[in-house]
Amino acid sequence: MSLMRPTADAGGGDGSASREDGAAGPAATAPARAARRGFTRAVAVLVLVTVAGLMSMLGPRAALDGTGEAAAPGAGGTALLRTVLFAALCVPAGELFAARLVRRLPGAPLSTPRSWAPWAAAAGCVAALGLASVVATGNLVPADIADIDVGGLYETRDGRLALLEVDAFVAAGLCALSRRPATQVWPLAAIAVAEALRAHPPTEHSPLVGSGLTFLHVMCASLWAGGLLYVLRTLHHWRGTRGEHPLEASAALLGLYARVAAVPLAALTATGLCSTLRRMPPETVLEQLTTTAYGRALLAKVLLVVVVAALALVARVRLSRASDPLTACSPARAEVVVLGLVVAVSAVLTTLPVPIRW
């Protein structure tokens, strides 16, 4: 009788199979977890877009309720279009800003997320065309294409500014698709200038001062919101790359953004305060914050900005004190969500009657 060593199939088959199943278990569940996270993010984005859209469309009516002020025709639709326009300005401006921060990091991964700038430019162009059609019908919602007087846009100041925004978004999209996407900065600046001039007509007291404050306000808000969005997208992209997770580079990028973003936040606060005092004298601010539609929307925006600042502070504390600095990503994501709501409320403000100074 010969002695034979039992083969893996004969004696150890069950043990090896169980070990293989145990090893394959976590690997098999990893794609499922990734799919669940992707689904959760998609739902969160959909909810944010829906809430922002509803705030834009219903915000003017809610703010005007009980004030005795008249609403502009189609104020909800106009606010929705301007929300899209503001968001389309934030995305590419923030990408340029945050991409510059990434290049300043020594040893940072070379790969970066795909740019959303071309899509943002397309959405902004559509929104600008919609706003131009409103201007072409005398600031009324067109009931038919025949109501739109395209030639009349060249004859009015608001019409020329609306056309400038359309052309600037087209130029920004072409620049984003070119080999030198950094050239987007010029058409994006033109859009901010057009918005600043539109918000302060020549009949206003010191319109150039008001336009300058609005230009700085819009640009700082775009850099802050769009920059944070791109930073978070970059961290997620680096986490999905092969090889060792660039923990140090991710924490360094988030910390660098937190330090640099303090400048736009300070400028945003200063320009917003100055613009408010120009339109509402100090002795009437508290009263108009609750009795006028503009004041109510402004109060809602201020409260949201306070929430954003608190979330930014929490993220900064976690960056400096937590054992894992990337736990700061959670409040940073919430900050982006609230900033999206701030954009919607800012769009609502543009459709409300300006308070009367007395």
Side-chain angles (χ1 to χ4, degrees):
M1 181 177 67
S2 61
L3 297 177
M4 298 180 61
R5 184 185 299 273
T7 61
D9 293 337
D14 294 341
S16 62
S18 62
R19 286 193 299 270
E20 290 176 0
D21 292 343
T29 57
R33 287 197 299 267
R36 285 196 297 269
R37 286 196 298 267
F39 177 76
T40 302
R41 285 193 295 269
V43 171
V45 171
L46 181 61
V47 171
L48 173 61
V49 171
T50 302
V51 172
L54 290 175
M55 287 181 63
S56 302
M57 297 187 67
L58 303 179
R61 180 182 300 178
L64 288 163
D65 184 42
T67 63
E69 298 172 293
T78 302
L80 179 61
L81 290 173
R82 205 164 295 282
T83 299
V84 176
L85 188 146
F86 286 163
L89 178 61
C90 289
V91 170
E95 284 189 3
L96 294 176
F97 172 57
R100 188 176 182 86
L101 298 181
V102 173
R103 290 193 295 269
R104 290 175 55 183
L105 287 179
L110 298 178
S111 60
T112 55
R114 181 176 298 179
S115 174
W116 287 356
W119 298 105
C125 184
V126 172
L129 283 171
L131 292 170
S133 68
V134 173
V135 176
T137 55
N139 291 324
L140 300 174
V141 179
D144 190 78
I145 297 180
D147 297 336
I148 302 176
D149 182 15
V150 178
L153 289 173
Y154 296 93
E155 300 176 1
T156 64
R157 179 177 181 269
D158 287 347
R160 290 190 292 269
L161 292 176
L163 290 175
L164 174 60
E165 291 184 345
V166 174
D167 295 339
F169 272 117
V170 172
L174 294 176
C175 291
L177 295 173
S178 69
R179 295 183 178 181
R180 303 185 65 181
T183 54
Q184 294 176 87
V185 65
W186 301 113
L188 294 178
I191 295 168
V193 169
E195 277 298 307
L197 292 175
R198 180 203 56 78
H200 300 275
T203 55
E204 182 183 293
H205 177 69
S206 302
L208 290 181
V209 175
S211 296
L213 290 172
T214 301
F215 173 77
L216 292 176
H217 194 79
V218 169
M219 289 307 301
C220 290
S222 300
L223 296 178
W224 184 15
L228 180 56
L229 175 63
Y230 189 76
V231 166
L232 292 176
R233 290 185 59 219
T234 301
L235 299 186
H236 182 266
H237 177 77
W238 286 351
R239 184 173 57 186
T241 55
R242 293 183 178 180
E244 185 179 355
H245 173 51
L247 176 62
E248 295 182 358
S250 298
L253 176 59
L254 199 56
L256 178 60
Y257 170 81
R259 293 190 299 272
V260 176
V263 177
L265 174 59
L268 190 71
T269 304
T271 54
L273 179 61
C274 292
S275 296
T276 299
L277 294 179
R278 290 186 75 253
R279 290 187 165 175
M280 293 188 291
E283 61 273 12
T284 64
V285 168
L286 294 180
E287 180 182 356
Q288 294 195 56
L289 285 178
T290 56
T291 59
T292 65
Y294 189 92
R296 291 175 178 178
L298 181 62
L299 179 60
K301 180 179 177 180
V302 170
L303 293 177
L304 287 173
V305 171
V306 170
V307 174
V308 170
L311 290 170
L313 180 61
V314 172
R316 192 178 184 90
V317 170
R318 289 191 180 185
L319 273 172
S320 59
R321 299 181 182 179
S323 57
D324 182 7
L326 291 185
T327 56
C329 289
S330 296
R333 294 190 193 100
E335 184 181 345
V336 168
V337 172
V338 182
L339 281 171
L341 301 181
V342 172
V343 170
V345 175
S346 299
V348 171
L349 273 171
T350 65
T351 65
L352 299 175
V354 178
I356 300 175
R357 294 178 62 98
W358 63 76

